[in-house]
Each structure stands twice: as C-alpha cells, then as structure tokens.
C-alpha cells in the first residue's frame, strides 16, 4: 500500500513526461511493440488451442481476455507447466469461478508468448 508517493519521485516523473515530444516518442516506440506481442499471442493461442479457447483480439492495451473452460483447475496445471494467467474471477466482487481468463503480453517477446501458448495447451490437455 502506498499512502504517498515520494514528492521527489513525482517531481522527477513530471519533469520527464512534460518534456516536449517525450510522450509522442514513447508512443511511437511502444505501440508497435505491444501490437506485435498481441498478434503473436493471439496467433499462438489460435494455433495451440484452436476452438478450445475463445477471445477477442484487442485493438490496444496489454491484456487479452479469453473464455476457457475450467480456468480455476487449469491455472494449477498451467503453473506446473511454467505459465500463468489471471482467472476472470479475480476481477469480480464475489470471486466465483468462471470461464474467463486474462493473459498479459506486456513483458514477454513474441517467441516467449508462443512458448507460453504451447505450455498452456499442454496444461489444457492434462486431466
């Protein structure tokens, strides 16, 4: 919990982001990178899981939401395979298990995302 971010850190950040052109340059670099990662993950999920998973290809952001049977049970098997996701129930008030899952593509490169999809597919075939 952060009751107050350091005033010095806030000042440093304000100085950086207020520089003319800084934000535009960041967007120019980051948007294509996230787009490439998003496409890599979506294509890999399609290839590895096919009709066993349903999702909308996002237009932006850092997460891909999906529908996948038994996300609660699947998560434990996925972790055993070295990959994880956040069950949709983590974003609800009642935390009841559901078929939703959120995948992040913000920190991994395309090859790593393809490997993650393959690991998830292995976990999905286990019982």
């Amino acid at each position: 919990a952060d009751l107050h971010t350091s005033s010095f850190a806030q000042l440093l950040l304000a100085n950086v982001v207020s520089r003319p052109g800084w934000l535009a340059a960041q967007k120019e670099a980051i948007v294509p990178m996230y787009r490439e990662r998003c496409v890599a993950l979506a294509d890999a999920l399609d290839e590895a899981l096919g009709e066993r998973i349903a999702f909308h290809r996002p237009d932006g952001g850092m997460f891909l939401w999906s529908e996948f049977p038994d996300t609660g049970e699947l998560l434990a098997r996925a972790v055993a395979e070295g990959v994880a996701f956040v069950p949709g129930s983590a974003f609800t008030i009642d935390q009841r298990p559901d078929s939703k899952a959120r995948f992040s593509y913000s920190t991994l490169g395309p090859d790593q995302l393809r490997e993650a999809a393959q690991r998830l597919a292995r976990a999905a075939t286990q019982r």
Side-chain angles (χ1 to χ4, degrees), residues 75-118:
L75 180 57
R77 295 192 310 267
V79 168
E81 288 290 336
V83 65
F85 58 87
V86 181
S89 61
F91 300 95
T92 64
I93 292 172
D94 61 16
Q95 304 270 307
R96 280 188 285 189
D98 62 17
S99 62
K100 308 285 191 288
R102 186 183 82 167
F103 300 102
S104 171
Y105 51 84
S106 64
T107 60
L108 300 177
D111 290 340
Q112 293 168 306
L113 291 165
R114 285 187 277 276
E115 175 65 25
Q118 291 171 356

Side-chain angles (χ1 to χ4, degrees), residues 2 4 13-14 19 26 33-35 47 50-51 59 62 72 79 82 91-92 99 106-107 117:
D2 181 9
H4 177 66
L13 182 61
R19 289 184 182 152
Q26 283 298 105
M33 178 187 68
Y34 284 149
R35 184 175 298 118
E47 184 178 320
E51 293 184 12
D59 294 328
M62 298 179 282
V79 168
F91 300 95
T92 64
S99 62
S106 64
T107 60

